[in-house]
Amino acid sequence: MRPERPLVLGIETSCDETGVGIVRGEELLVDAVASSVDNHARFGGVVPEVASRAHLEEMVPTIERACREAGVELRDLDAISVTSGPGLAGSLMVGVASAKALALALGKPLYGVNHLASHVAVDIVEHGPLPEPTMALLVSGGHSSLLLVPDVTHEIHSLGSTIDDAAGEAFDKVARVLGLPFPGGPHIDKAARDGEIVIDFPRGLTTGRDMERHRFDFSFSGLKTAVSRWVQAKEAAGETVPVADVAASFQEAVVDVLTRKAVLACRENGADHLQIGGGVAANSRLRAMAQQRCDDAGIELRVPRPGLCTDNGAMVAALGAQMVLKGRNASRLDLPADSSMPVTRISA
């Protein structure tokens, strides 16, 4: 007999965040995160070996902290869920191995779940059950995807994704060009507040044949190059680079494309709800423009609070709880870590 409000612990280690969340049904009890971002800042990006080592060091303390703050014992759990892909192979292995050990020792079912599907599911603990279908725009350092989600535990259709750089990756690279720290997203967002949108940077895959062939796909490589060349030209001319204006203009170009295509996807696929998730969803301009365009189109916008947009264990626990509630099959104990797991495969 399935529990009405399953108590599920979720483990997230797809990149540089060691996340452990505990959910009871649709209620979030705790979201504990240990970040190794400071260890990567001096390299200007995530170093896989450093991230894996950090996960090894932080896994047990983070699990213990999560249980302590939630006031639960491991033996009370109904299930364990873990990100099994996609992500950095070494990082995923640490999380999957830890989850297997817990499931085996406790005699609990194990659910290996998709990282991107978890970003969709986390909104359940923030705003309640997902409308079916839901349109999801996931934007992060590794992904920019438009997903039609009839059932987050069973059926997800990919409408489009990035064909080169993801949105978050473009933020990081442009931040480096402007001399801003890593990770670039928050620093560009902050700088842009003091700038003006005075530079017309390109919007990739939004016109002509590009739009016909890649209707719901994204491309930010050309934008990144355009910003770099604009800055180089200013420096070569001996002029001061207006960092705030460049940041605002670049950010506007990214957000314009993301929201324009997301609203179009809703209209053409009969979805009256749009959810935005992933680390870039914390961007203030993205939230504002998405709200404005959704209001104009009669679409309801759902965006989790910023702390639930970045990678975290709560989102994995939320999806795990839904898997239990809907009676989905648990994973085998020999489930692999799959660094290239497609979003259409929700569980391993």
Side-chain angles (χ1 to χ4, degrees):
M1 184 174 178
R2 294 196 299 269
E4 292 184 1
R5 301 181 67 221
L7 185 65
V8 179
L9 181 145
I11 296 174
E12 157 61 27
T13 62
S14 66
C15 191
D16 61 335
E17 310 280 347
T18 306
V20 177
I22 301 177
V23 166
R24 189 188 300 277
E26 296 178 353
E27 178 189 2
L28 176 60
L29 301 184
V30 68
D31 177 32
V33 177
S35 176
S36 62
V37 66
D38 291 342
N39 297 335
H40 304 283
R42 64 192 179 98
F43 300 107
V46 176
V47 180
E49 293 83 359
V50 174
S52 299
R53 175 68 64 180
H55 290 311
L56 283 170
E57 294 173 352
E58 297 292 345
M59 181 58 65
V60 172
T62 308
I63 291 174
E64 291 176 342
R65 174 160 58 97
C67 289
R68 184 171 62 252
E69 292 179 1
V72 303
E73 300 286 342
L74 287 173
R75 62 174 176 269
D76 300 329
L77 298 172
D78 293 305
I80 309 291
S81 59
V82 62
T83 298
S84 55
L88 300 176
S91 292
L92 289 169
M93 289 178 188
V94 177
V96 169
S98 301
K100 287 179 180 180
L102 279 175
L104 183 61
L106 297 169
K108 306 294 184 180
L110 173 65
Y111 292 86
V113 298
N114 191 291
H115 176 77
L116 299 181
S118 296
H119 271 301
V120 179
V122 74
D123 196 56
I124 294 171
V125 301
E126 182 91 340
H127 297 116
L130 288 176
E132 296 180 350
T134 286
M135 185 65 65
L137 171 66
L138 300 186
V139 278
S140 65
H143 307 279
S144 295
S145 304
L146 269 172
L147 309 172
L148 182 64
V149 187
D151 182 342
V152 73
T153 70
H154 179 65
E155 184 181 3
I156 294 179
H157 303 285
S158 177
L159 301 182
S161 60
T162 182
I163 65 171
D164 43 56
D165 288 352
E169 183 180 5
F171 270 93
D172 288 339
K173 291 179 177 178
V174 167
R176 192 180 309 162
V177 169
L178 295 176
L180 298 174
F182 174 87
H187 296 286
I188 285 182
D189 192 357
K190 182 178 179 180
R193 294 169 193 168
D194 297 324
E196 296 183 7
I197 304 164
V198 293
I199 309 163
D200 186 21
F201 287 128
R203 273 75 163 157
L205 305 183
T206 56
T207 58
R209 290 185 178 179
D210 282 344
M211 183 63 176
E212 292 177 7
R213 293 172 57 195
H214 298 282
R215 193 162 188 78
F216 299 124
D217 290 325
F218 303 101
S219 171
F220 298 110
S221 179
L223 170 60
K224 173 200 67 181
T225 300
V227 174
S228 180
R229 289 177 175 172
W230 194 93
V231 170
Q232 289 172 358
K234 282 288 183 181
E235 292 175 338
E239 300 178 23
T240 300
V241 175
V243 171
D245 290 348
V246 175
S249 301
F250 160 76
Q251 178 176 264
E252 190 74 5
V254 173
V255 169
D256 180 24
V257 173
L258 291 172
T259 56
R260 190 190 313 182
K261 294 205 172 196
V263 169
L264 180 63
C266 287
R267 285 173 169 166
E268 294 190 358
N269 288 276
D272 55 10
H273 288 75
L274 172 65
Q275 182 194 332
I276 305 180
V280 179
N283 180 273
S284 62
R285 182 57 181 151
L286 174 58
R287 287 171 173 255
M289 186 181 289
Q291 189 66 66
Q292 177 186 343
R293 288 183 167 175
C294 282
D295 288 346
D296 292 343
I299 297 166
E300 183 175 333
L301 178 67
R302 294 170 56 130
V303 189
R305 63 180 183 268
L308 293 180
C309 290
T310 52
D311 292 347
N312 60 81
M315 67 187 201
V316 182
L319 181 52
Q322 291 300 305
M323 301 290 280
V324 175
L325 284 167
K326 294 198 175 185
R328 304 303 179 195
N329 291 332
S331 304
R332 292 163 51 99
L333 279 175
D334 62 353
L335 78 96
D338 184 354
S339 61
S340 57
M341 187 176 185
V343 67
T344 50
R345 184 152 61 90
I346 299 165
S347 61

